[in-house]
Amino acid sequence: MNELVVVGGGPAGMAAADAAVRLGVRVTLVDSAPRLGGQIYRQSLLSPGEGGSPASSRKRSLPARFRSIESGQVELILGASVWSASRVPSGFTLRVNPMSGGEGKTLNAKAIVLATGASELALPFPGWELPGVSTAGAAQALLKSQGVLVGHRVLVAGSGPLLLPVAASLAHSGAKVVGVVEACSPYRDPLKFARISAYPSKVLEALGYLRHLAIHRVPVLMGSALVRCDGEGRVQHASVARLDKDWHPIAGSERTFEVDAVCTSFGFVPRLELCRQLGLDDSCDDIHPGATALHDTSMAASVPGVFVAGELTGIAGAVVAELEGRLAGNAAASYLGRSKAARTAGDQATTIGKLRRAMSFADLLGQIYTLQPGWMTWPNNDTLVCRCEDVSWGTVRRAAESGAMKVQAVRGLTRCGMGYCQGRTCGPAVVSLVAALTGARLSQVGDLDSRPVMMPVALGEVAKVDELRDPEAPPEG
Ligand SMILES: Cc1cc2nc3c(=O)[nH]c(=O)nc-3n(C[C@H](O)[C@H](O)[C@H](O)COP(=O)(O)OP(=O)(O)OC[C@H]3O[C@@H](n4cnc5c(N)ncnc54)[C@H](O)[C@@H]3O)c2cc1C
């Protein structure tokens, strides 16, 4: 029996593991990636001297404060995914499968910290399924871990704070970035943008990226969107239009860029699968698609013994993720009876104070980068929304118009969200469309986030799990 299992090795999971270990807890940390770091501290998988772009030769290592995790104090299970989690009388059972295939294993734990991060929010538009079109996070991950550029002439488009660092690192690594296209515009909402000045370090960070882009002569188009990609066999042209305040393209404003790659990103959606499997409470805010795990100030979730931290509690960036991870690690240690009460209480109070300030910046970003409904006019009826099952925007629209009021009903009628990605990619778009067509709020139409099997896994592994057996099935043999 493990004492504490942490799922996720990003800033939230590493901070939780570090805090709990310092309080004397035996910690096991599981991450699907072969190295620790999560998205922001993703480490290179290249050996010294291996190829890749010039920037990839820079060694990426973890910040020093996380080194204890790699020094043997935490049992690490890397390159393996937790694909199922359940409650048992003694605590929790997690099923873990190596990403490279092979025999899975079962971990039992008295307490768990879930720090599984977020998926990228991709919105559909004509041509988004062409080879050469990826998410900005995928382009960044490819560059950080493998030193590979997504293309030589790249357009970065979407909305949110990830666009600038991704464009800057692509340009720095040798790509010709033909433009950064951001749907929000400071000219439309100057007061909100002006409030960023209350966070000087963030302003300096943004100016650093903009300076970098200026050096590489990368145009930054605000209040515009990538509305179509075309090409023979792969993306060759990207059409960009100016937007009105609701994000409807302005007629006659289109211009076309020659590209061999396009990266898009509209923010992130928390990865709630394990939370749902364990029956944790979550909530949806009606503004942004995707629910967030609920917790108290110590990061304890609604089920005793489960703690949550990082992006799955709300999209707020790496600083918040790390602070929440520390709180969760301390609280888990306390739950396990290991806390040195006075020190932990002092720690918790300081961390909560820092967290409030970091959260206020995240809230401001959330207000600035709010999706506007006009994006739903970018796809046409033939645009595929579920690329796994080839379900078009028009098919989803017809299902909702013919009376499917819930996303699960639309899935049943159209098969959208039933493919390999299990609705991770199309889910937020389908939720938004169904809500818009039925006049309901986002929180009223359901979602595709409840998956009994979190990751693709061999059927033999599923067959070993009693809770997933069909009670009606005939006995084996
Ligand atoms: C694709 C992508 C790219 C991003 N790039 C950047 C960037 O360049 N700069 C930036 O500031 N922010 C970036 N972000 C935002 C970033 O997620 C946060 O700022 C920060 O990393 C959040 O920390 P976290 O610990 O909550 O999650 P993450 O850092 O995402 O860590 C979550 C970890 O959980 C693991 N995991 C998830 N599910 C399982 C499972 N079932 N079993 C085992 N392991 C699991 C993942 O492999 C991952 O390592 C990116 C986000 C995404 C989704």
Side-chain angles (χ1 to χ4, degrees):
M1 168 73 77
N2 295 271
E3 269 203 299
L4 176 66
V5 173
V6 175
V7 188
M14 291 190 295
D18 182 57
V21 156
R22 283 170 197 273
L23 291 167
V25 176
R26 279 181 295 110
V27 180
T28 302
L29 185 153
V30 189
D31 198 297
S32 325
R35 300 201 58 187
L36 286 171
Q39 299 296 352
I40 188 161
Y41 302 123
R42 185 180 290 279
Q43 300 187 66
S44 172
L45 300 180
L46 298 174
S47 317
E50 264 188 301
S53 77
S56 67
S57 55
R58 275 184 299 138
K59 182 165 163 37
R60 290 179 193 282
S61 49
L62 290 181
R65 60 190 181 282
F66 295 131
R67 300 261 168 80
S68 66
I69 302 183
E70 286 189 310
S71 67
Q73 295 180 52
V74 174
E75 185 197 354
L76 294 178
I77 304 178
L78 298 177
S81 292
V82 175
W83 61 272
S84 148
S86 52
R87 287 146 75 172
V88 292
S90 57
F92 305 93
T93 294
L94 303 175
R95 273 146 196 118
V96 182
N97 213 44
M99 295 300 282
S100 52
E103 189 85 357
K105 64 160 116 176
T106 298
L107 297 177
N108 293 307
K110 291 182 186 161
I112 51 180
V113 174
L114 299 180
T116 48
S119 307
E120 228 172 339
L121 173 57
L123 297 179
F125 57 87
W128 77 315
E129 74 284 13
L130 280 173
V133 181
S134 71
T135 65
Q140 182 84 323
L142 198 60
L143 189 57
K144 282 182 181 174
S145 62
Q146 315 275 353
V148 172
L149 284 168
V150 277
H152 299 289
R153 287 182 65 82
V154 188
L155 183 83
V156 179
S159 185
L162 187 62
L163 300 185
L164 292 181
V166 170
S169 58
L170 288 170
H172 177 69
S173 304
K176 169 76 187 155
V177 179
V178 298
V180 177
V181 179
E182 165 61 61
C184 292
S185 165
Y187 306 112
R188 297 238 166 76
D189 220 338
L191 291 180
K192 265 189 209 156
F193 272 83
R195 282 168 52 202
I196 296 182
S197 61
Y199 303 90
S201 64
K202 300 293 179 186
V203 174
L204 283 177
E205 189 181 335
L207 288 175
Y209 295 132
L210 288 169
R211 189 179 144 268
H212 212 83
L213 293 174
I215 291 170
H216 290 277
R217 298 181 184 282
V218 178
V220 178
L221 311 177
M222 307 290 287
S224 300
L226 168 66
V227 290
R228 198 176 60 254
C229 283
D230 302 289
E232 286 297 319
R234 64 168 296 125
V235 62
Q236 291 169 320
H237 300 106
S239 301
V240 170
R242 279 193 287 115
L243 301 177
D244 69 13
K245 70 175 182 16
D246 293 326
W247 290 14
H248 294 102
I250 296 173
S253 69
E254 263 190 36
R255 58 190 279 200
T256 301
F257 293 84
E258 267 182 40
V259 293
D260 63 3
V262 160
C263 308
T264 74
S265 175
F266 288 87
F268 305 101
V269 181
R271 299 186 71 171
L272 282 192
E273 297 94 335
L274 295 178
C275 300
R276 291 273 172 91
Q277 288 179 9
L278 289 163
L280 306 190
D281 292 341
D282 58 55
S283 82
C284 178
D285 69 4
D286 283 331
I287 293 172
H288 195 271
T292 54
L294 292 175
H295 56 85
D296 67 12
T297 50
S298 76
M299 307 313 295
S302 58
V303 169
V306 184
F307 302 84
V308 287
E311 303 283 57
L312 83 165
T313 70
I315 304 307
V319 174
V320 168
E322 186 174 337
L323 291 168
E324 288 188 346
R326 295 221 168 269
L327 291 175
N330 285 340
S334 176
Y335 175 83
L336 293 163
R338 295 298 184 83
S339 66
K340 294 163 191 153
R343 200 182 111 203
T344 309
D347 260 11
Q348 294 287 85
T350 316
T351 310
I352 288 171
K354 287 184 190 165
L355 188 57
R356 287 214 177 99
R357 167 123 179 114
M359 286 294 288
S360 71
F361 179 68
D363 287 346
L364 176 58
L365 288 186
Q367 290 170 32
I368 289 174
Y369 296 109
T370 304
L371 296 184
Q372 301 300 329
W375 74 261
M376 282 180 264
T377 61
W378 305 346
N380 58 43
N381 275 344
D382 295 331
T383 305
L384 289 184
V385 56
C386 171
R387 302 187 302 188
C388 302
E389 293 291 312
D390 282 356
V391 182
S392 71
W393 190 243
T395 304
V396 172
R397 178 185 286 279
R398 280 192 294 281
E401 284 170 348
S402 66
M405 308 288 283
K406 298 274 184 196
V407 172
Q408 291 88 340
V410 171
R411 174 173 56 187
L413 287 172
T414 66
R415 292 195 57 80
C416 76
M418 285 193 187
Y420 188 81
C421 90
Q422 291 284 289
R424 277 186 196 90
T425 307
C426 66
V430 174
V431 167
S432 304
L433 182 61
V434 173
L437 292 175
T438 58
R441 296 201 300 272
L442 290 180
S443 58
Q444 293 175 317
V445 296
D447 58 37
L448 301 176
D449 290 341
S450 299
R451 303 174 184 108
V453 174
M454 180 171 175
M455 307 255 173
V457 66
L459 280 176
E461 293 299 322
V462 179
K464 290 179 195 163
V465 180
D466 286 341
E467 302 92 275
L468 296 177
R469 273 178 205 270
D470 178 357
E472 309 282 308
E476 282 170 36

